Structure formats: structure tokens, C-alpha cells
Amino acid sequence: MAAVDGTLYTEGLVLLCGAVVAAPLFKKIGLGTVLGYLAAGIVIGPLLRIITDGEEILHFAELGVVLLLFIIGLELKPSRLWQLRRDIFGLGLVQVMVSALAIIGVAWSLAGQPWTAAIVIGFGLALSSTAFGVQILNERGDLNTRYGQQSFSILLFQDIAIVPILALVPLVAPAAGDGGGSIVTDIAITVGAILALLVAGRYLLNPLFQVIAGTGAKEAMIAAALFVVLASGTLMQFAGLSMALGAFIAGVMLAESSYRHELEADIEPFRGILLGLFFMAVGLSLDLSVIADNIVVILIAVPVLMIIKALVIYGACRAFGSTHNNSVQIAGLLPQGGEFGFVIFSAAAAAGVFAQATASLLVAIVTISMALTPLAAFVANRLMREAADEQMDEDFAGAGSDVLMVGFSRFGQIASQILLAGGSDVTIIDQSADRIRSASKFGFKIYFGDGTRKEVLVAAGIERAKIVAVCTHKQEITDRIVDLIQADFPTARIFARAYDRTHTLSLRARGVDYEARETFESGMLFGRKTLEALGTSEDQAAAISEDVRHRDEERLAIQAVEGLLAGREKLHTRPVTPEPLVKPKRESERLDKPLKDDITLSDPA
């Protein structure tokens, strides 16, 4: 096929076309957008040869990973990052060291590589792909789960480890004479760059965005956001670190800024496009001739690499207290090689540690392992054991608002829409990891926590809440929460979801400020609309609905005094003819007087 004119616009058009076709298609068939982008890149590049400069596009598209880490940093406040220090510097360090040692042993003893080359190969392949791992977590809505946080901690340590690994290359290279003094200089530059970025983030970034926001220039705000990301990344790159790490630090520094949400909204479109381009560029840069010439080696090396890393990651996670399911998920998410391996292997080939052909083979192994990541994650899900419920970390950073909602069932989801539409902020806590994961895909901010525990309610801001909305779907759980609140927070106003009529009477007896049966209003509306469909006018149907509502309230008042079987005369058990239909409405007003005392005594409001 004749090559397409290699202009910027033509290549951009081809890449966008590939993304538009492949990403939705692969998402539809359940393989995920990452694999779709990869497939599009392979078709456009190695197969059809429409675009041949895949490596140049890959260098540019790495900005997608940089922007991704910036957005993640915006979601992680420094206090939260400090809580992850054990996973970052403990679990991350163990994973890199043990994986590297295992791969070094295989490369030296089985592959016949010199020990100097085996060391670089081991540490280069010990790194995993931040882009693939975090993108899959985002697609699943799992980034805030326990296994998602541990996976990210490992990836973050790997980004930090790039510096000593790159510093290791000249040490093991032939005739490396000036390595000793340069290492001290490199470390000093690295520490200085990090300190400079921390100081700038602490004292310069917020004033910068405040000035720009004051001008009202939206496009200047977007430009400033991109400038901060690229400048922080460039500073870290100058220090020998990854640009992604610099962007992440900048994001963390802005996590408590009042402009955090606006920055995230401004960066998100660029992040999505460039990250998709990165995955396509990985496919574009795949050298099919290298694969063809070394097909047997690759068919052995790729599964061996992924199995070694998966076993090491599983064992390390278990040693650090993770459950079987969490450990399996992390092992299935991070067994591939990483994009930073491209940099390490290129540097090693340039330094003479091994031949360029070996570097090309290693790049092919890393690329194919990336492409197999969605499959590895699928297999990992099959190896998980049945569990009652996944556990998350209880992190209430940023919690506290006028309404504290306990439970985010279907009832709570609908109620939250009314509150949010009315301009009220809502702090939501729920104990279901699956429900939190699902809701996070739609943008809800929900905190994991057990509402039956006093310390959880305090951490979630119950002492600042004007109303506590108890929307749990189990009657016994609702009663426990109501009793706890009334005992320890007697001034709190409680609005509760009632399971049924008996539960309504129980909640009224407890003295909640308001209760609502979960099916009452929907049943009333359904009956009224059905009546209208049968030919009743809207006004008459509304009047009938109000009559039924009033009778129900009278019956509840009677039941509160005389028991559940009382007040049966208030129920309609046979069709009512039109003549007495209006009559009971007038009579109900008269009957209201003798029942007034009962209603007053039993109505907690």
C-alpha cells in the first residue's frame, strides 16, 4: 500500500480515525479501550505502514502519562500520600528488588547474558507500565479501592526508582571511568529539583492561579494548567527523574487548592486524547521484523517475565497483609514491562552494556507484555475467591457538609439528586465496595465506612451536619444507626428511610424528625397515573390521591396507639362509587378532629 503523505495533519487524521473506530469497538466487545488503541496502532503502523515514525509519536504521546499522573496527584492530598508511605517505600521497594533479582538470575543463567547486562535487564523489566495500570484502574473505577491504592503505590515507587536505575547504567558499562563523581552530582541535582518543585507548589502555584482566575480569561487558565504540568515535568526530567513524577508532585501540591476541580476539568480532555495516542504509539513502534526473527525467544520470554512478576507481586502483597483477592488483582494488573524500560534499554545500548539488537528485542518483549495486560487482568479476576465484600481504606479527607447521608442505595441515589440539584453539598458514606466503585464511575464522591460505628460518623462530619439522612436498605441496620445517633448525638436531626409500614411506626416511636417508606410515594404516583389512563381527570385523580394519603396518615395514627391491626376501616378494599367519593373527603375532615390528639401524640415531627 502506498504510504500516505506524512504531514502532521494527515497523520493526526489517521490516528484520530483509528481511535474513533477501535476504542468504542473494543470497549463494546469487553476488551477495553487500551487494547483497542494498541490494535489500531499495530494496524496503522507495522501492518499497513501508513505511519512509520511510531517512536517519535511515542515520545510526544508520553505527555498523556504525564497529564494522567497530574490528575491523580490532584486527587491525593499530602496527608493521604503520607498514609501510603508503607506501601510506596515498603511494598514498592520489595517488588522492584525481588523482581529484579529473579529476572537477573534468569537472564544470566538461562539466557546467557553477561552479569552487567543481566543487571540492567533485570531492573529494566522489574518496572511496570504506569499508563496501562492506571488506565485500567480508571476504567474499572478501582483507583480508590485497597488494591487500586496498593497498585498505584508500587507504580509510584517505580517512577522514583528510575533515577538510581539510570545511574546504574554507566557503572556497569565497559570503561566507565567517571561514574563515581557524577553520581553524587546527580543525587544533589535530583534532591534540589524536588525541593524546588515543592517550594514552588507551596508558595507560587496558588497565587498564580488566583491572579489568572481574577482576570476571567478561561483560555489563560487552561494555558496556565498545561504550563504547570509541563514545567514541573521538565524540571524533573532535567534532574534525571521522569516527567510523570514531576507532574504528580505538582498535582499533590495543588490537591488542597480551591482551583483543583477547575484544573482537573481543564486538563482532562488533553489527558484522554494524549493517553489514547500513547497506547496507539506503542502499537505503532512495534517492530514486526524483530518479533519474526526472535519469535521463539519472545514466545518464551514474555510469559516467563509475566509469571515471574505476577508471583513476586502476589507474594509481596500477601507479606504486606493484603487479602488473596487484592493480591491476585494487583499481580494481574502489573506483570508487564513498563514504558520507562524503553528509556533504560536505549541508554544501556548507547553505553555499550549490550548490543542494539538486544535492546530492540527487550523493547519488543515489553511491548507485547503491555498488549497482554488486559488478558492478564481478566485471568486474575478468574482466580479470585468469593468474598462477602471487599474492604477499602476508611479515608474521610474532605468530608463534612450540611447533609450526611448514610447508605447510597437506590433510594439514597434519588434523594441525593434532589439535594445536589438544590445546591446542598452531601457527604455520603457506604460500606459496599462494589457500590462505591460503581458510583465513582459517575463522578460521585463517596467515603467507605460503617455507619453503625461512632468514630466513622464523627470522621464523616456528623457534628457539623445539619441533617443526617439514614438511607440504608436493611431495617435492622437503620435502627442501629438511628439508636446510635440519638444516644451519642442527641441534637442531630434524623431523616430516615423506612422499609415498610411496621418500620415507619417503629421509627416514629423512636422520634425521628422525618421518615419515608421507600415504596409509598412511587406506589401513589403509579396508582394516580393508572387512574388517569383509565379516563379519570387529572384533578380528580389528584383529589383521590390526597384522600388516600390522608386516610393512610389517619391509619398510622390509630396504629401507633392501638396496634398494627387497628384502623382497617380506613383501607379501601372494594371499588368506591363516584357519589361517595367526594363524601368521604368531607367526612375525613370531620373525622380529623377526634383523631387530632392521637396524631399529635404519635407524630414525632
Side-chain angles (χ1 to χ4, degrees):
M1 181 176 180
V4 178
D5 181 22
T7 65
L8 176 64
Y9 298 109
T10 303
E11 290 185 352
L13 180 64
V14 172
L15 291 171
L16 288 173
C17 179
V20 167
V21 172
L25 177 62
F26 275 70
K27 182 74 171 178
K28 182 70 175 178
I29 61 179
L31 296 178
T33 59
V34 173
L35 205 54
Y37 289 128
L38 270 173
I42 293 173
V43 171
I44 294 170
L47 291 181
L48 301 182
R49 308 293 296 174
I50 299 175
I51 298 176
T52 56
D53 55 344
E55 291 188 3
E56 292 184 12
I57 295 175
L58 183 61
H59 291 315
F60 172 74
E62 286 176 354
L63 289 176
V65 184
V66 174
L67 296 176
L68 175 63
L69 266 292
F70 177 72
I71 290 178
I72 292 173
L74 287 175
E75 298 294 334
L76 275 177
K77 295 182 179 179
S79 59
R80 177 59 180 157
L81 194 60
W82 179 249
Q83 292 175 2
L84 294 174
R85 66 190 184 279
R86 181 174 179 267
D87 288 336
I88 296 172
F89 297 104
L91 179 58
L93 175 63
V94 170
Q95 182 274 319
V96 170
M97 294 302 297
V98 177
S99 295
L101 290 174
I103 297 169
I104 288 170
V106 172
W108 178 68
S109 61
L110 299 181
Q113 292 289 335
W115 69 269
T116 52
I119 289 175
V120 175
I121 293 172
F123 279 102
L125 293 180
L127 306 181
S128 303
S129 174
T130 300
F132 276 78
V134 176
Q135 178 70 5
I136 291 174
L137 288 173
N138 274 334
E139 283 188 355
R140 294 176 174 177
D142 287 352
L143 194 55
N144 289 323
T145 62
R146 176 60 181 157
Y147 98 87
Q149 292 288 305
Q150 285 189 306
S151 300
F152 179 74
S153 297
I154 292 174
L155 292 170
L156 185 57
F157 179 83
Q158 290 178 358
D159 283 351
I160 298 172
I162 292 170
V163 177
I165 293 174
L166 285 174
L168 186 66
V169 172
L171 289 179
V172 299
D178 59 345
S182 64
I183 294 178
V184 177
T185 304
D186 289 343
I187 293 175
I189 293 174
T190 300
V191 173
I194 293 176
L195 291 176
L197 185 55
L198 292 176
V199 171
R202 182 72 174 85
Y203 297 105
L204 297 180
L205 293 186
N206 267 316
L208 170 66
F209 288 112
Q210 186 175 3
V211 171
I212 296 174
T215 65
K218 176 68 175 176
E219 64 280 3
M221 197 71 173
I222 297 175
L226 290 173
F227 171 78
V228 167
V229 175
L230 296 179
S232 57
T234 302
L235 178 62
M236 289 297 102
Q237 191 177 47
F238 169 77
L241 290 160
S242 68
M243 290 187 70
L245 182 61
F248 173 76
I249 294 174
V252 172
M253 291 295 98
L254 289 168
E256 295 179 337
S257 168
S258 56
Y259 304 102
R260 176 171 66 91
H261 297 293
E262 185 174 357
L263 290 170
E264 187 172 352
D266 289 341
I267 292 292
E268 182 63 32
F270 299 98
R271 191 277 309 173
I273 293 173
L274 288 173
L275 196 59
L277 181 61
F278 171 82
F279 297 127
M280 293 181 71
V282 171
L284 286 170
S285 60
L286 197 62
D287 192 337
L288 296 183
S289 62
V290 172
I291 296 175
D293 294 340
N294 301 275
I295 187 65
V296 176
V297 175
I298 291 174
L299 287 177
I300 296 173
V302 171
V304 167
L305 168 67
M306 299 184 75
I307 290 172
I308 288 175
K309 290 186 69 175
L311 291 175
V312 170
I313 292 170
Y314 177 84
C317 291
R318 292 291 280 169
F320 276 75
S322 295
T323 63
H324 167 79
N325 284 356
N326 285 349
S327 301
V328 166
Q329 285 179 297
I330 299 170
L333 186 69
L334 305 178
Q336 75 290 117
E339 54 272 7
F340 296 116
F342 302 154
V343 178
I344 294 170
F345 299 141
S346 297
V353 177
F354 42 65
Q356 184 61 49
T358 302
S360 298
L361 177 60
L362 291 170
V363 168
I365 291 171
V366 169
T367 305
I368 294 173
S369 70
M370 285 181 176
L372 293 177
T373 300
L375 177 62
F378 176 79
V379 172
N381 286 336
R382 293 286 184 178
L383 297 176
M384 292 173 60
R385 298 170 184 161
E386 291 293 329
D389 199 6
E390 183 184 348
Q391 293 297 308
M392 294 181 175
D393 287 339
E394 291 182 349
D395 174 25
F396 295 98
S401 54
D402 288 346
V403 179
L404 171 60
M405 180 174 288
V406 184
F408 199 57
S409 58
R410 289 171 295 179
F411 184 93
Q413 293 166 24
I414 296 171
S416 71
Q417 290 298 290
I418 302 295
L419 294 167
L420 293 170
S424 296
D425 194 11
V426 185
T427 295
I428 306 169
I429 61 174
D430 198 285
Q431 202 178 4
S432 169
D434 289 336
R435 192 175 296 129
I436 292 175
R437 183 185 300 112
S438 176
S440 67
K441 295 179 182 178
F442 294 92
F444 288 100
K445 178 60 177 175
I446 307 181
Y447 299 91
F448 177 78
D450 182 0
T452 62
R453 293 165 49 201
K454 177 182 176 181
E455 62 271 22
V456 168
L457 296 177
V458 172
I462 190 173
E463 294 170 328
R464 300 190 298 276
K466 296 178 181 178
I467 292 177
V468 182
V470 184
C471 300
T472 47
H473 64 280
K474 290 185 178 181
Q475 177 177 342
E476 61 273 17
I477 299 297
T478 300
D479 291 344
R480 285 174 59 190
I481 294 172
V482 169
D483 291 341
L484 172 64
I485 295 172
Q486 289 182 328
D488 293 321
F489 310 98
T491 61
R493 298 178 64 194
I494 303 174
F495 280 39
R497 165 192 180 179
Y499 177 75
D500 55 16
R501 193 175 194 85
T502 303
H503 194 205
T504 289
L505 293 169
S506 172
L507 290 171
R508 290 191 175 191
R510 281 178 164 82
V512 299
D513 294 87
Y514 179 78
E515 50 70 31
R517 274 169 286 164
E518 58 185 21
T519 57
F520 181 74
E521 293 297 334
S522 57
M524 291 285 292
L525 177 62
F526 185 86
R528 194 179 82 190
K529 290 297 182 182
T530 305
L531 202 57
E532 291 175 9
L534 292 172
T536 305
S537 68
E538 289 187 14
D539 290 342
Q540 189 176 9
I544 292 171
S545 178
E546 285 305 310
D547 175 63
V548 172
R549 186 188 302 277
H550 188 71
R551 283 172 167 269
D552 182 81
E553 189 63 34
E554 288 181 332
R555 183 171 165 234
L556 281 171
I558 296 171
Q559 289 174 320
V561 178
E562 301 179 18
L564 191 62
L565 296 178
R568 283 175 292 179
E569 68 278 5
K570 298 297 179 183
L571 288 171
H572 289 303
T573 56
R574 283 182 290 274
V576 178
T577 58
E579 290 76 17
L581 176 61
V582 178
K583 196 171 184 180
K585 286 184 62 187
R586 293 196 299 268
E587 290 175 354
S588 67
E589 294 174 2
R590 294 193 299 270
L591 286 171
D592 186 45
K593 293 181 180 179
L595 287 171
K596 186 174 182 181
D597 292 337
D598 288 341
I599 293 174
T600 302
L601 289 173
S602 62
D603 185 0

